[in-house]
């Protein structure tokens, strides 16, 4: 069932399901941070991959070829994110999490905005752009780097530091994979928000949850590969629909 962008009234059956379900798995993507001014990746005009070449900036090979180019591009993204504030979508998810303690929030976003809005135990599927780690030894670096080097050197082994994000061709952190798979297995509700559902393994979580019997809900102003199989498609922005969901859950539990 698709609900239109002109209303944020939840279908009654969905509202009931959301109120009664305890085990939620929420997967978020860059669309959730769009209203905070953080660019998405694949939107046609404004997405990062419309303007920049992922192969030159977001792979280990790109870093080996030109570490300064890659470092500077991530520094630019960090400056955008440092200026961004969580939006009503982030705050609503934090509130839903406080009302549904068994909710697991898995994010593909590296911007830390869910945590800044108050969400706890966020599963960072693609890492966090604020942290750095050594390209050679993997040691996590201090967040305050007292150097102008681009990139700086690892204090432990002298290798080059890189952002602690998952690049194309790299594995998802094992703990994040396990937490997400476990949550998919038991989920009563799977909520996909602001993601093009195009990048695996994150995109496979919806199917895993559906096989386990979860009600699959998508929030997105565009159709994605998930839309056809979702039980409910809420057509519109995360910053409209998530506060509506938080309000429904709040009414239901109060
Ligand atoms: P995409 O840019 O692929 O998709 C963003 C999705 O958000 C699209 O489906 C949009 O329609 C939707 N969207 C845009 N504005 C929205 C809004 N206000 N509310 C709700 N939805 C909105 O970004 P992701 O799916 O997050 O990985 O991309 C997944 C991964 O691919 C990223 O983590 C990144 C990227 O390459 C790596 O860098 C490894």
């Amino acid at each position: 069932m698709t609900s239109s962008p002109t209303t944020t009234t939840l279908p009654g059956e969905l509202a009931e399901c959301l109120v009664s379900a305890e085990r939620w798995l929420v997967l978020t993507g860059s669309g959730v941070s769009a209203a905070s001014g953080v660019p998405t990746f694949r939107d046609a005009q404004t997405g990062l991959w419309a303007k920049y070449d992922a192969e030159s900036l977001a792979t280990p090979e790109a870093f080996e070829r030109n570490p300064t180019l890659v470092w500077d591009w991530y520094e630019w993204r960090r400056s955008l994110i440092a200026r961004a504030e969580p939006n009503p979508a982030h705050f609503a998810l934090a509130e839903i999490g406080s009302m549904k303690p068994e909710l697991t929030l898995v994010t593909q976003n590296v911007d830390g905005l869910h945590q800044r809005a108050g969400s706890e135990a966020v599963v960072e599927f693609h890492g966090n752009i604020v942290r750095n780690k050594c390209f050679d030894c993997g040691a996590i670096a201090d967040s305050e780097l007292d150097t102008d080097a681009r990139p700086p050197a690892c204090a432990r082994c002298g290798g080059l530091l890189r952002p602690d994000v998952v690049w194309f061709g790299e594995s998802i952190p094992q703990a994040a994979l396990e937490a997400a798979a476990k949550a998919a297995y038991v989920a009563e509700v799977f909520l996909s928000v602001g993601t093009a559902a195009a990048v695996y393994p994150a995109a496979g979580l919806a199917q895993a949850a559906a096989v386990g019997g979860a009600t699959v809900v998508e929030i997105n102003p565009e159709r994605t590969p998930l839309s056809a199989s979702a039980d409910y498609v809420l057509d519109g922005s995360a910053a409209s629909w998530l506060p509506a969901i938080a309000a429904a859950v709040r009414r239901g539990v109060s």
Side-chain angles (χ1 to χ4, degrees), residues 14-38:
L14 174 59
E16 278 172 31
C17 164
L18 295 173
V19 167
S20 65
E22 295 303 330
R23 295 184 301 277
W24 296 38
L25 173 52
V26 182
L27 174 67
T28 64
S30 57
V32 169
S33 296
S36 298
V38 181

Side-chain angles (χ1 to χ4, degrees), residues 209-237:
V211 167
T215 299
V216 175
V217 184
E218 175 174 64
I219 298 176
N220 201 306
E222 307 286 340
R223 300 294 66 80
T224 76
L226 175 63
S227 308
S229 61
D231 297 296
Y232 296 92
V233 175
L234 304 178
D235 184 359
S237 76

Side-chain angles (χ1 to χ4, degrees), residues 28-32 34-35 40-43 47 49 54 58 74 77 108-110 126 166-168 193-199 219-224 236-239:
T28 64
S30 57
V32 169
T40 62
F41 293 94
R42 289 177 188 77
D43 282 304
W49 299 150
Y74 277 91
R77 285 185 57 200
Q108 299 165 90
N109 299 342
V110 295
H126 291 167
V166 175
W167 282 331
F168 291 103
V193 196
T195 173
V199 174
I219 298 176
N220 201 306
E222 307 286 340
R223 300 294 66 80
T224 76
S237 76

